[in-house]
Every structure is written in structure tokens, then in C-alpha cells.
DNA sequence: TTGGAAAGTCAACAAGGCTGACGTAACTTC
DNA sequence: GAAGTTACGTCAGCCTTGTTGACTTTCCAA
């Protein structure tokens, strides 16, 4: 028992083997995480990229295109392809900014809300099952580790998303 | 305070808002998770798919192609493309099976070990920092939630990977 | 000896990233 | 008011990594 911090905690959770297991857990869990929405979307003309756009527009209604760009971390050409189809299909509405007319403020239409809801219901159902199985303590730890794993800039994005429901 | 289980735990961690935060945490954290290897690989002729192959061959030396297929969850055509370049470039060796000569047993060459090492060092460094920042309790919770999030079949794959280092 | 599994390969395609170049409207600054 | 910057959109072309389908070779096992 040599791996002890000055304060007496075991450092065994930092072994390469433990870290590798964590890496694999992320890999397999992420597959599960996206599986349900992917299943819903296949067959429709949409993919994961559309899901992400819907999610963040739902989350921050009225967000601008460049805002969304920085959250999603893709190029405007990539996002535009996705956004165009969503707007054409009447799931998303782009309103010209009132203060700054260059900006487009993005909102979900009723139809957009509906699909977002369907996707997020599926994803939340899995999340809820996992949370319930693991318990509140585990969930707190889960969130802590994920947060620590983010790039600092992304962490700020993450924390900036409106927090409530408590 | 109505959200209490019969055993008295709060269920506030199961609100839609909390679940959404968890979903976003997964999204942002996964970006960080892959960022370092991606950076190393850009410029080389390899991508994330090559990294995954290297990882699991390292993890289970002598694994067969079909074994790897089921772990990675892609088609043999996809995997083959990746594997071919890795073999051509002398990072991976495919040994014909002794018992069953149809099977190819995959091993990393010295060169393959080297790249795998470089990629995994980077990824583990981030993981280690996150683990250290969050602490052992949080790490345990992190692993529990991720495991509960996996599809049952993937969970078996995950648990089947040799466990040690404790 | 034959059926079927394991592996490999060719071709074609799609999603979703990327870069670069260009255009336009609108805001900001000098 | 002119010049520069920002926000957005779009065209064209490319790459990676996934897909399906069809086909072959090898070879184990019943």
C-alpha cells in the first residue's frame, strides 16, 4: 500500500489500467448515448447533426447562428447545410434580429418542438434509467468527472447554458 | 419536498433539467475526450478509426478480425480499410491462425506499439487530470453511470475486456 | 463432400466534417 | 460618408468513415 497521498487517499484509481477502463467506458457509453436518437432519425432525412442543432436551439431559443457555431464546434458551411434543411422543412425558424439585422435568431417551430421532444425523450429515458440505477451520489461524480474532462473553453459553454430545475 | 423515494432519497437528480445537463455534459466531455488523439493524428494519414483499432488490438493482442468487428461495431468493409493501411504501414501484423487458418490474429508491431502509446498517453493524461480533479468517489460514480448507460451487449463487451491493475 | 463460417475485396454511395473563395447586407469606426 | 468589419449564406471540392451489395477464396466440421 504505497500509493497514498499525504492526506491518505488511495491513488489506485489513477493507474494506467483504471484510466484505460475509463477510456473504454466513455467509448461504449457514448455509443449507447446516441443509439436511441440515431434509431429514430434513420429513415428520416436527418442525422446526428440535425439532432444536435435541434437540441441546442431548444435549449437556447433565439440563439444566433454564430452562437450555435461556437457551441457545436463546426464550420458554418457544415452547420448551414443542416440548418437549411431544418428551415426548409419547417422545423426551425430564423428571425432577422431586431437590434442587429445581420443576425438570425433561431427558434423551433411547433413541428420542430415535436421532433426535438421525441428525440430528447428517448435520450432522457436512457439517461434516467442510468441515473436511477447508479444513484444520486454516482450521478454527482459522473458530472464532476465529465466536467473536468472538457476543454476549458467548452466547459464555459457548458456552464453558461441556463441552469435550473432545482 | 415531494420528490422522495420510499427510502427517503431525493429524486431531484432525475428532473428533465438535470437529465439535459447530463446529456450536454456527455456531448462536451466527449469532444475533450477525443481532442488530444485527434490533434496527434491530424497530419498523419490516420484518423479516429485507426486510433480505435490500435487501442483494442493493444488491449487484446491476438484478437481476430471478427472479434474486433463486434467490439468496434462497424462493418468489416469499414474496418478492413483501416486495418489494411495499418498493416501496409507496418503498425499491425495479421498472423494466420494456427488452429483455424481462416482467422487473422492481430498484433501491434513495435512501430504500432509506439503510436498507440503516444495516442493513449495523451488520452490518459487528460483522463488522469480529470480523475485527480474529481477524486476517487466521483470516479466510481462516473464509471457506474457510464456502465448503466451502455447497451447490455456492449456492457458485456466492456466487462469482458481483461480487468486488472488493482 | 458439401454447407457454411471467416476473411478479404470491389464498387458505389451517403453523412458530415473540412478548406477556400466569394457575395451581400448591416453595423462600426474613422 | 468612406472604409473596414461582422454575420450570414453559398458554391465547389475534398476527406474520413460509415453504409449496402455482390462475389471469391479458404477451410472447418458435420
Amino acid at each position: 500500500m504505497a500509493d497514498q497521498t499525504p492526506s491518505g487517499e488511495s491513488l489506485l484509481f489513477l493507474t494506467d489500467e483504471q484510466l484505460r477502463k475509463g477510456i473504454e467506458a466513455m467509448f461504449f457509453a457514448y455509443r449507447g448515448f446516441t443509439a436511441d436518437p440515431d434509431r429514430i432519425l434513420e429513415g428520416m432525412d436527418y442525422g446526428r447533426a440535425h439532432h444536435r442543432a435541434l437540441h441546442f436551439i431548444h435549449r437556447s431559443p433565439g440563439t444566433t447562428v454564430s452562437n450555435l457555431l461556437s457551441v457545436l464546434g463546426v464550420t458554418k458551411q457544415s452547420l448551414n447545410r443542416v440548418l437549411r434543411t431544418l428551415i426548409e422543412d419547417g422545423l426551425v425558424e430564423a428571425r432577422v434580429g431586431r437590434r442587429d439585422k445581420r443576425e438570425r435568431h433561431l427558434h423551433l417551430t411547433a413541428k420542430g418542438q415535436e421532433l426535438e421532444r421525441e428525440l430528447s425523450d428517448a435520450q432522457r429515458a436512457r439517461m434516467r434509467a442510468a441515473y436511477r440505477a447508479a444513484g444520486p451520489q454516482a450521478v454527482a461524480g459522473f458530472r464532476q468527472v465529465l466536467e473536468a474532462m472538457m476543454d476549458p473553453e467548452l466547459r464555459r459553454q457548458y456552464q453558461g447554458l441556463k441552469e435550473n430545475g432545482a
Side-chain angles (χ1 to χ4, degrees), chain A residues 133-148:
Chain A
Q137 272 237 316
V139 169
F142 166 74
R143 292 270 297 268
Q144 277 174 53
V145 173
L146 289 186
E147 205 161 326

Side-chain angles (χ1 to χ4, degrees), chain A residues 7-149:
Chain A
S7 54
E9 295 153 14
S10 167
L11 286 178
L12 290 178
F13 74 112
L14 293 176
T15 60
D16 279 7
E17 194 41 38
Q18 287 300 307
L19 294 167
R20 275 191 191 275
K21 283 302 273 187
I23 287 169
E24 283 160 6
M26 277 296 281
F27 173 68
F28 288 118
Y30 200 79
R31 291 248 297 273
F33 172 68
T34 57
D36 303 316
D38 282 357
R39 239 187 311 275
I40 293 171
L41 288 166
E42 90 179 0
M44 304 196 205
D45 286 350
Y46 303 130
R48 223 177 265 186
H50 300 83
H51 180 195
R52 291 199 283 262
L54 290 176
H55 176 101
F56 285 108
I57 295 171
H58 169 93
R59 172 58 116 178
S60 311
T63 188
T64 62
V65 172
S66 57
N67 225 305
L68 196 52
L69 277 177
S70 87
V71 170
L72 295 174
V74 297
T75 60
K76 64 175 177 171
Q77 293 92 329
S78 273
L79 177 57
N80 194 255
R81 178 167 37 198
V82 164
L83 230 37
R84 193 179 353 173
T85 69
L86 290 175
I87 291 170
E88 276 170 7
D89 297 351
L91 301 184
V92 167
E93 194 187 349
R95 302 185 195 149
V96 172
R98 289 200 311 133
R99 270 188 43 195
D100 185 335
K101 293 180 196 160
R102 290 170 306 179
E103 294 180 340
R104 301 298 135 99
H105 297 275
L106 303 170
H107 299 264
L108 296 185
T109 64
K111 201 173 154 193
Q113 301 269 6
E114 199 182 322
L115 178 55
E116 196 286 328
R117 183 77 206 193
E118 190 185 352
L119 295 169
S120 111
D121 276 353
Q123 200 161 36
R124 269 180 292 127
R126 182 183 292 252
M127 212 69 183
R128 187 177 300 112
Y131 272 21
R132 198 189 297 276
Q137 272 237 316
V139 169
F142 166 74
R143 292 270 297 268
Q144 277 174 53
V145 173
L146 289 186
E147 205 161 326
M149 209 183 309

